Amino acid sequence: MSAPAVPSSPARRTAILLLVAGAMFMENLDGTVITTAVPEMARSFGVAPLSLNIGISAYLLTLGVFIPISGWMADRFGARRVFAMAIFLFTFASLWCGRAETLWEFVLLRILQGVGGAMMVPVGRYVVLRETPRDKLMGALALLTWPALAAPVLGPVVGGFITTYFSWRWIFYLNVPLGLIALAAVWLLLPKDAPGQKRPFDWAGFLLMGGAFFSILLSAETLGQREADPLLAAVIAGAGVALLLLGMRHLRRVEHPMLALDALKLKTFAVSLHGGSLFRMSVAAVPFVLPLMLQIGFGLDAFQAGLLLMAVFAGNFAMKAVSTRLLRRFGFRRMLLVSGWANVVALAACALFTPETPVALMVAILFFGGLTRSMQFSALNLVAFADVPPERMNAANALFSTVFQTAMGLGIALGAIAIRFGEMAVAAAGLSHVPAAGYRAAFLIVALVALCSLWDALRLPASAGDTLRLPQRQPEPPRKEAAE
């Protein structure tokens, strides 16, 4: 699909960027917002609270299956049409999620909502990549990292507030006016699409890669359950890895693959996916492990735990004001290493928390952790597209979005698995009497995963990302030959 001309109005570009960021925030928020509403929802449906886990899992698993087709959809039908359709589907499903009367009705609607979300985020990011000049891309992508950082932290707090003072159904009803506003904005702001590419749909690639990501996420979800069957989780994971290997072999051989892997040849893109995925898993694990440690381990109530969690969000938000300037000043490789090491230290410091730790000290450490994670998140998401040529942006974005969503989904499972192994290690060391010892050990495991993510950053050249952070030289005008 030929990209339309970049809109000349900076105000229009800003409006498009805010529209996409809002849509991404709405989609990311829905992944975690119902966690604190689970007991009330279970009473409404007449089921045990643990049964509601399938409602959370169904949404995340659907994202993993359908995000890979977003690139083909945008090419075939146009980014404007697909983005509008995704917002409509997400909004429609949200309305009926709020009206659900049974668990399975709710689960089916969450799957439908996940299909809309799977199109909304990657296609929205592609719109920004397509409409933004390269010299403005750094600031635009830095803003788009904010929803993925903020939503997992704010989700439980927002969900708990709405459930306590209104009804859990309003968690979904509030998406309706927001979705309608976003839908109108799409048709007003986005330029009309050029004729789409009529390339064939890669059914084999969709089934292999969709099945692979579904199986990998399902195995992690299974292993994260307290009464999990490790053998069943291993079998599902093995099936997922086998499908992934077959799928990648298929994608490299066909003329029109569902997911093009060419961008992996670029060092900056590969680093953002390989080591970056380990980092994103550690980020997604924090909003899961921290509230459990504060409530179950330290005896705080949900509101107190939520307020402490807001310190992480405050750090994320504060760093956004300076992250672009720091990256321009010091470069991507240096900032990835500095913020990466600082993030590991901040995660390990959480293992030192006790019920007697002063609140001010905990807030300071969590705020510092939010600062470091925000910088690392921004740097990884920006450097991914630094060397991708414009004609390959859609394919690279589809691959990036698929791996990104899978890593964030695996992060929740990483938190649960880290807690389980932490409790086992504590019991083996005879320290079960220490308050929250299992959760504190879990933070060390999460910190170790974050540390492993830095190996790729070490192999980046010092010039990585310079196409984004340094002004590009304009070609000199041809010299006029002196008259003879």
Side-chain angles (χ1 to χ4, degrees):
M1 182 175 62
S2 59
V6 175
S8 58
S9 168
R12 187 181 186 187
R13 288 200 300 268
T14 300
I16 291 174
L17 179 60
L18 292 175
L19 164 65
V20 173
M24 292 175 70
F25 180 76
M26 189 166 61
E27 186 275 331
N28 279 284
L29 191 71
D30 255 54
T32 57
V33 72
I34 71 171
T35 53
T36 47
V38 163
E40 188 63 31
M41 294 175 70
R43 281 191 287 271
S44 296
F45 296 147
V47 297
L50 285 177
S51 301
L52 262 295
N53 283 348
I54 192 172
I56 302 173
S57 302
Y59 181 78
L60 296 174
L61 292 172
T62 304
L63 292 179
V65 171
F66 285 95
I67 281 178
I69 71 171
S70 61
W72 181 87
M73 292 284 288
D75 272 343
R76 179 65 182 84
F77 300 105
R80 182 177 186 240
R81 294 188 188 93
V82 175
F83 193 41
M85 179 273 294
I87 292 173
F88 171 79
L89 192 61
F90 186 88
T91 305
F92 176 82
S94 294
L95 172 63
W96 288 99
C97 277
R99 296 176 60 85
E101 298 295 336
T102 67
L103 174 61
W104 288 107
E105 182 184 347
F106 176 74
V107 170
L108 291 175
L109 289 166
R110 284 287 278 178
I111 292 172
L112 184 63
Q113 195 182 33
V115 174
M119 299 291 106
M120 194 161 63
V121 169
V123 176
R125 184 186 290 109
Y126 171 59
V127 167
V128 172
L129 290 168
R130 185 186 70 177
E131 300 296 324
T132 307
R134 185 166 284 271
D135 62 332
K136 305 292 184 184
L137 197 58
M138 193 167 176
L141 290 179
L143 179 62
L144 292 189
T145 64
W146 184 75
L149 277 169
V153 177
L154 293 179
V157 180
V158 172
F161 178 82
I162 292 174
T163 303
T164 301
Y165 294 102
F166 299 96
S167 163
W168 67 264
R169 298 182 185 276
W170 279 99
I171 291 173
F172 299 99
Y173 290 153
L174 288 177
N175 284 337
V176 176
L178 297 175
L180 293 176
I181 293 170
L183 193 60
V186 168
W187 291 108
L188 289 173
L189 294 173
L190 268 59
K192 292 183 179 179
D193 295 301
Q197 295 179 0
K198 295 185 178 180
R199 60 187 177 98
F201 187 82
D202 180 15
W203 282 104
F206 170 65
L207 293 174
L208 287 170
M209 298 305 289
F213 291 121
F214 178 88
S215 300
I216 291 169
L217 287 168
L218 182 62
S219 68
E221 176 70 20
T222 301
L223 193 59
Q225 300 296 325
R226 191 160 290 276
E227 302 299 328
D229 182 349
L231 179 59
L232 175 62
V235 170
I236 297 173
V241 171
L243 288 171
L244 182 63
L245 294 175
L246 289 172
M248 292 182 69
R249 181 171 178 267
H250 167 81
L251 294 177
R252 290 191 175 100
R253 293 187 170 193
V254 296
E255 185 178 358
H256 300 289
M258 176 60 59
L259 287 172
L261 305 181
D262 297 354
L264 287 173
K265 297 175 184 177
L266 303 172
K267 174 70 74 175
T268 47
F269 188 86
V271 165
S272 183
L273 259 63
H274 296 154
S277 293
L278 293 176
F279 166 75
R280 294 180 188 103
M281 287 170 60
S282 70
V283 166
V286 172
F288 180 83
V289 178
L290 184 60
L292 290 177
M293 182 175 76
L294 295 174
Q295 292 178 72
I296 299 175
F298 296 172
L300 301 182
D301 60 36
F303 182 68
Q304 292 171 321
L307 287 179
L308 281 173
L309 198 62
M310 290 294 288
V312 178
F313 168 71
N316 293 340
F317 187 76
M319 180 54 74
K320 283 297 164 222
V322 297
S323 59
T324 301
R325 278 179 284 175
L326 289 173
L327 287 169
R328 288 191 189 279
R329 173 68 179 83
F330 297 106
F332 281 86
R333 183 180 185 273
R334 186 181 300 176
M335 291 309 302
L336 280 169
L337 292 173
V338 170
S339 62
W341 277 105
N343 174 54
V344 171
V345 171
L347 287 170
C350 292
L352 302 177
F353 289 172
T354 70
E356 290 75 35
T357 302
V359 172
L361 180 58
M362 286 196 286
V363 168
I365 291 173
L366 294 175
F367 180 81
F368 176 72
L371 290 174
T372 64
R373 284 188 279 282
S374 180
M375 172 54 74
Q376 191 79 345
F377 212 93
S378 295
L380 284 167
N381 288 5
L382 284 166
V383 80
F385 298 99
D387 300 322
V388 179
E391 67 274 10
R392 307 296 298 171
M393 279 291 189
N394 190 22
N397 176 60
L399 178 59
F400 176 86
S401 298
T402 302
V403 177
F404 178 97
Q405 182 57 52
T406 303
M408 295 298 284
L410 289 173
I412 299 173
L414 169 65
I417 294 167
I419 291 172
R420 170 172 295 183
F421 279 100
E423 290 174 342
M424 291 169 57
V426 164
L431 298 174
S432 298
H433 61 283
V434 177
Y439 297 101
R440 293 160 67 184
F443 268 108
L444 294 178
I445 296 172
V446 174
L448 181 61
V449 173
L451 178 62
C452 292
S453 73
L454 296 180
W455 172 250
D456 268 349
L458 283 168
R459 298 188 296 123
L460 275 177
S463 60
D466 281 357
T467 55
L468 290 180
R469 75 183 189 92
L470 298 178
Q472 301 300 300
R473 287 185 178 180
Q474 298 298 323
E476 294 183 4
R479 297 179 180 177
K480 292 183 179 180
E481 296 292 335
E484 296 182 359

